[in-house]
Amino acid sequence: MPQPVLLLGAGRVAHGGFPLARIAAVRPVVLVGASVPAWARPYLSGLLMADPAREVETADTVARYAARHPVAGVLTWRREHLAGAARIAGRLGLPGLPYDTAAACADPASLRALLVRHRAVPAGPEDMTGPLVSAETVVLDDEVRITALTRTTPLRHSVHAHDGLLHNRFLRQAVERAVRALGLTHTVAHVALRLTERGPAVTGVTPHLPGDLIPWLVERATGVDLVGAALSLACGATVDVTPTRQRAAAVQFAEREADRRSAREYRVVEGEDAQECERALDAA
């Protein structure tokens, strides 16, 4: 049986359960947390009781576990657990973000300060108008690969394998500057940008799998498996991000009230191009 991976915090089922199901099909997954969400139970092989917010204590608990059970890698897709995952990976000698990088990325103020210091974003007031996009990026050693671009409008994401912005050198330069400024290596990163009149401007960087079903959209549109890439990078395995599809995919979200609680529903479509996906969502 393959060695397991540790997952720090499962979170809400905001990803549709897609990443966890995909990972569990390849390796056993042991959740590091205080409890197991009901949605995650079918995909987990075990629970390591610890509070990921208590970094040092959790690292000690994991180290004792790893002394008896070999671990292949450490994963998280929650910003608040980035530093804890980096601490654990470093202690076990596994691939992962440098601790200082992870800690900075977990704190929006520290993240922006680091980007400003390295001139990856401007220090002064920014043009806050223009469309929002995100570059779904895989960092392999010194190579920065933008695998797809996600276009974002209120409650909607779309990915098109032939998006013209993939060939925009200014966008690529902005993404590469941000990655270099943060010292990201061997990770999947979600780089958010705003397309201003002065060019693409980085607004944020998340060095883990994105949510909102974006990995599913990328795979349906391009064939690139971001979940598999994140797992391989965490385990020190070879990563292949060669596109195998030339399509488009989109998701539409809707909020509804049920039993005095807010619930998020979604509808996904795919087609030959972005316009076909937009028409399908508009007609729903």
Side-chain angles (χ1 to χ4, degrees):
M1 175 180 288
Q3 294 178 352
V5 292
L6 302 179
L7 174 65
L8 267 67
R12 300 182 308 156
V13 64
H15 301 70
F18 171 73
L20 185 52
R22 178 61 60 83
I23 292 168
V26 179
R27 287 185 179 273
V29 182
V30 175
L31 178 67
V32 180
S35 62
V36 178
W39 70 267
R41 289 190 186 117
Y43 311 116
L44 299 175
S45 64
L47 171 67
L48 189 56
M49 288 289 292
D51 180 1
R54 303 172 72 91
E55 284 183 27
V56 175
E57 293 179 14
T58 298
D60 290 341
T61 299
V62 170
R64 290 192 293 270
Y65 174 86
R68 305 186 307 273
H69 309 282
V71 173
V74 183
L75 283 168
T76 189
W77 45 64
R78 302 188 65 179
R79 182 183 293 272
E80 66 268 30
H81 298 329
L82 280 171
R87 183 185 293 274
I88 292 169
R91 185 160 174 179
L92 300 184
L94 295 170
L97 294 173
Y99 181 82
D100 289 345
T101 294
C105 290
D107 177 63
S110 298
L111 173 63
R112 175 165 179 77
L114 196 55
L115 291 172
V116 169
R117 188 183 314 149
H118 290 272
R119 299 181 179 179
V121 298
E126 299 179 33
D127 179 1
M128 297 306 292
T129 61
L132 294 173
V133 301
S134 57
E136 314 311 336
T137 307
V138 177
V139 186
L140 308 170
D141 293 319
D142 292 330
E143 185 182 6
V144 180
R145 298 280 298 273
I146 299 177
T147 63
L149 284 171
T150 304
R151 301 266 184 167
T152 298
T153 56
L155 297 177
R156 185 176 292 188
H157 296 309
S158 64
V159 175
H160 185 201
H162 288 297
D163 195 310
L165 279 176
L166 288 169
H167 308 291
N168 185 301
R169 66 185 180 92
F170 298 108
L171 184 142
R172 286 188 165 274
Q173 289 169 356
V175 171
E176 289 175 359
R177 280 199 304 270
V179 168
R180 307 295 185 211
L182 298 174
L184 300 183
T185 59
H186 295 85
T187 189
V188 171
H190 174 81
V191 183
L193 307 103
R194 187 177 291 276
L195 306 180
T196 74
E197 291 184 356
R198 303 177 66 178
V202 173
T203 60
V205 180
T206 304
H208 59 67
L209 280 171
D212 286 350
L213 288 172
I214 289 174
W216 184 91
L217 298 179
V218 171
E219 183 168 349
R220 299 312 301 169
T222 70
V224 175
D225 181 4
L226 289 180
V227 178
L231 177 61
S232 295
L233 289 168
C235 298
T238 302
V239 176
D240 183 6
V241 290
T242 304
T244 59
R245 291 169 66 89
Q246 302 292 322
R247 290 177 61 79
V251 59
Q252 173 80 47
F253 295 97
E255 301 286 347
R256 68 176 180 85
E257 294 292 330
D259 299 326
R260 297 183 180 179
R261 292 184 301 178
S262 176
R264 202 178 198 196
E265 299 177 337
Y266 62 88
R267 171 181 168 80
V268 293
V269 297
E270 61 177 287
E272 291 299 321
D273 53 41
Q275 289 72 28
E276 182 178 340
C277 291
E278 293 293 319
R279 287 194 297 269
L281 289 177
D282 290 340

